[in-house]
Structure formats: C-alpha cells, structure tokens
C-alpha cells in the first residue's frame, strides 16, 4: 500500500519512507483508511515505532511495549494558548504501555516541566479512580452515533450506552453507594 500525506502543494511526504524503516505516524489528519493501515502494520510487526498524537489514547488496543509522552501541554486554538492535557488523558496514554502479551516488562515515560513534576508524581502514586467525562458530552456523542446509524432503535441505544465507560463507572458507583448505605443501615438498626 502506498500511503501519502500531502503537506502543501509543493511537498509530498510518503509514509512508506517511514514504514521502510519500521516507523509509523498516526494523527487525526490521516484518513480513516490510512489510520487503519498504520494500526494493522503495527499489529503485524511491520512497524516497531509508532509516533502518534493523542489519537491512540482512546479506544484502540495495540500491543505497545513502551510509551513516551513528550510534553503535557497541547495548543488550544480557541484561547490561542497552551493548556495541560487532562489527568485522565495522561493516565490513558500511559496505560497503553504493557499491552504486548509477549513482553514481560514495559515502561511509560512522561516528559513534563519541573513545575508540574510533583503533580504528575502524585497523580501516579495515588491512583485515583478514573471517571468518565461522557456525561458532559452525551447529547453530542449520542447524536453522532445516530447519524452514523449505529443507534437507530431504543434497543440499539441501550446496547451502545451499556458499552461505554460511563455506564461501567455509573453502575460501580451505584453498587458501592448501596454497600455503604447497607452498612450504615446496619449501624442504625443496632
């Protein structure tokens, strides 16, 4: 397959030049077809190194041994400034390491400013539960799934929702609250 990215009218960069050296590039600007090809090359071992934006942080399970996050800020065009990547996204990206079942040991490396170092050390040491942010964007995601025809009936809507991380955390939180209430109820009865 010959995958090409057009940078501007004068230059063409061929992904094949990188793939020949077992290096892949993955970002939001690639077509879905090119992204899938890059992911499949990585799965099949045709690519050893995969350079990516945060496009691989969510939903794609690749057999990754090591992860390096170079920088914890992203440019926000709305405010014309740099902002910190959310803690949830950092944990999600770091969690990509160690997914290769053939490898015994993996590493995740985070490169950040000295100013933010203690924040990220405490984030990793305390391992707070990760919560879903889907609730804030549920109407948008739901509408998108309807447009894609993945949701067309009430049954398909429930099926889609049941597979979300939000649903998993929602039910876990409800179950833990029930346990707490049961314990408190026993205390009051005695």
């Amino acid at each position: 397959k010959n995958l090409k990215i057009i940078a501007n009218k004068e230059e063409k960069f061929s992904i094949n030049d990188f793939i020949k050296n077992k290096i892949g590039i993955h970002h939001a600007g690639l077509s879905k077809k090119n992204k899938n090809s890059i992911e499949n090359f990585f799965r099949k071992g045709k690519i050893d190194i995969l350079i990516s934006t945060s496009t691989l942080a969510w939903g794609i399970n690749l057999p990754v041994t090591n992860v390096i996050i170079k920088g914890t800020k992203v440019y926000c065009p709305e405010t014309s400034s740099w902002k910190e990547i959310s803690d949830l996204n950092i944990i999600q990206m770091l969690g990509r390491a160690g997914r290769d079942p053939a490898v015994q040991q993996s590493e995740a490396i985070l490169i950040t400013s000295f100013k933010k170092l203690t924040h990220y050390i405490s984030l990793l040491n305390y391992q707070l539960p990760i919560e879903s942010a889907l609730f804030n964007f549920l109407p948008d995601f739901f509408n998108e799934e309807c447009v894609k025809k993945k949701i067309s009936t009430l049954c398909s809507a429930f099926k889609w929702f049941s597979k979300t991380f939000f649903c998993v955390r929602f039910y876990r939180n409800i179950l833990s609250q029930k346990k707490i209430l049961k314990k408190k109820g026993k205390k009051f009865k005695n």
Side-chain angles (χ1 to χ4, degrees), residues 43-157:
R43 280 186 190 95
K44 292 175 182 174
K46 293 180 181 178
I47 296 173
D48 289 333
I49 298 170
L50 185 55
I51 301 167
S52 170
T53 59
S54 60
T55 56
L56 289 177
W58 295 96
I60 299 169
N61 191 12
L62 293 173
V64 177
T65 304
N66 300 310
V67 169
I68 301 171
I69 300 174
K70 185 194 172 290
T72 56
K73 289 187 176 189
V74 290
Y75 186 74
C76 180
E78 294 85 21
T79 60
S80 299
S81 62
W82 291 87
K83 68 174 192 163
E84 288 292 320
I85 298 171
S86 73
D87 291 347
L88 180 62
N89 280 333
I90 292 291
I91 290 171
Q92 186 69 21
M93 287 186 268
L94 292 172
R96 300 285 117 183
R99 298 207 173 201
D100 187 348
V103 176
Q104 293 285 325
Q105 188 173 352
S106 296
E107 288 183 332
I109 299 168
L110 178 66
I111 301 169
T112 189
S113 67
F114 186 75
K115 194 173 165 181
K116 296 299 285 183
L117 184 62
T118 54
H119 170 76
Y120 289 111
I121 288 172
S122 65
L123 177 71
L124 297 173
N125 285 335
Y126 293 116
Q127 297 180 2
L128 298 171
I130 299 171
E131 296 297 342
S132 171
L134 179 64
F135 184 76
N136 300 328
F137 308 101
L138 188 56
D140 296 328
F141 283 110
F142 188 82
N143 188 37
E144 184 178 337
E145 297 299 311
C146 290
V147 169
K148 291 179 182 176
K149 307 248 188 286
K150 290 184 178 180
I151 295 176
S152 57
T153 65
L154 187 58
C155 184
S156 62

